[in-house]
Amino acid sequence: TQAGTPPGIIRARPGLVMPYNLRYNIGVDQPIGKIVRFRGTYSHQNGHNLLRSLDANAPVEGVRPNPAFRTISELQTTARSLNESLTLDLSVNHPPRRLSANVNYQYGQAMNETDGAFVLPPDSFDLSQEWGSSRNDLRHRVNASLNSDLMAGFRINAAVRSQSAAPYNITNGFDANGDGVSNERPAGVARNAGRGQATNNVDFTLTWGLRIGQRAAIEAPAAGGGRGSQRSMPAANRNNEMFRFEIYGRANNILNAVNPQSFSGVLTSPFFGLPTSASAARRVVIGTRLWF
């Protein structure tokens, strides 16, 4: 009878400690005139004792120390992280026109030593090479939005999102150390050293509404509650529309921008450095809504 492949297991290292973060922020919040507000915030966060795994049964000169098992993923709390960001925010709010607009820019850096608690490093005997960019290490992010009433019952809603290229890992594409995981990187290449492409997206909604009819005034007892002390509730405390009808057109990714993602980092692949998928294309929805 042919022997089966030795199993792989996951175990926790004795003496695990609680992961924790140390974070501080400093910011400014300043009104500019009556409808504009500016906010700026700097944030710094260090992560300590974060979860990571290594192969406690990694091959030594091609032979595993415990041949009864394949990979022994040992969970540890020895990883670190660093996150820094500067956020600038400018907002406009004008209630009479139901106008609100916002522009937000963030410059940031995110570094760590692992891409996940159960992700194994290329070399479980040398973890000093694992400090590198986080998968969320995006240098620049811009978000903008606009909501406003227009003339003749129309209303617009627009949102713009843009961000710089996200990192991806570069690997050789073969299992040089025989540990069963093809994640070895070329010499001198840091973890998540590759960069994809920037992405941009614009969503837009145009709505036309019609209000029909008025409800009768709602009578409520005045203070004291005596007979004859009835009064109408203020209009601000009730919805006096009998019907409200809307027609809307909503477009996601209205410019039909191609936003590539999931870049291949395998050097031996013919698709190295190329995206293997893309985010959703333009989608247009036309619909109606009725309230009564």
Side-chain angles (χ1 to χ4, degrees), residues 106-130:
Q106 183 180 91
Y107 175 83
Q109 180 184 36
M111 308 289 287
N112 60 22
E113 289 184 308
T114 180
D115 289 324
F118 300 103
V119 177
L120 294 174
D123 187 352
S124 292
F125 299 105
D126 182 10
L127 302 178
S128 63
Q129 305 301 313
E130 296 311 295

Side-chain angles (χ1 to χ4, degrees), residues 38-203:
F38 170 78
R39 296 181 179 90
T41 305
Y42 171 75
S43 176
H44 180 101
Q45 176 176 301
N46 288 101
H48 301 270
N49 302 336
L50 304 183
L51 293 166
R52 75 188 317 172
S53 291
L54 58 78
D55 187 358
N57 199 34
V60 178
E61 297 182 355
V63 179
R64 292 191 180 273
N66 188 345
F69 295 96
R70 194 181 179 198
T71 300
I72 301 178
S73 297
E74 184 176 82
L75 191 63
Q76 302 182 351
T77 49
T78 59
R80 303 167 296 150
S81 69
L82 169 65
N83 291 272
E84 291 184 293
S85 66
L86 174 65
T87 303
L88 305 176
D89 186 275
L90 189 67
S91 60
V92 177
N93 187 24
H94 185 50
R97 290 296 302 272
R98 293 205 305 168
L99 167 65
S100 63
N102 179 267
V103 178
N104 179 282
Y105 167 75
Q106 183 180 91
Y107 175 83
Q109 180 184 36
M111 308 289 287
N112 60 22
E113 289 184 308
T114 180
D115 289 324
F118 300 103
V119 177
L120 294 174
D123 187 352
S124 292
F125 299 105
D126 182 10
L127 302 178
S128 63
Q129 305 301 313
E130 296 311 295
W131 180 258
S133 297
S134 163
R135 292 291 176 89
N136 296 320
D137 183 30
L138 303 175
R139 288 291 175 271
H140 307 279
R141 304 185 205 212
V142 177
N143 292 279
S145 64
L146 172 65
N147 295 274
S148 179
D149 285 344
L150 302 177
M151 297 182 294
F154 285 93
R155 180 170 179 79
I156 61 170
N157 180 296
V160 178
R161 298 184 301 277
S162 180
Q163 65 183 38
S164 56
Y168 63 89
N169 203 29
I170 297 177
T171 62
N172 293 323
F174 49 84
D175 184 12
N177 59 6
D179 64 355
V181 183
S182 300
N183 59 356
E184 287 82 356
R185 299 189 300 268
V189 176
R191 188 172 56 84
N192 293 332
R195 291 280 170 174
Q197 296 182 25
T199 60
N200 303 280
N201 189 79
V202 179
D203 297 334

Side-chain angles (χ1 to χ4, degrees), residues 216-229:
I218 300 174
E219 298 295 329
R227 177 176 293 183
S229 59

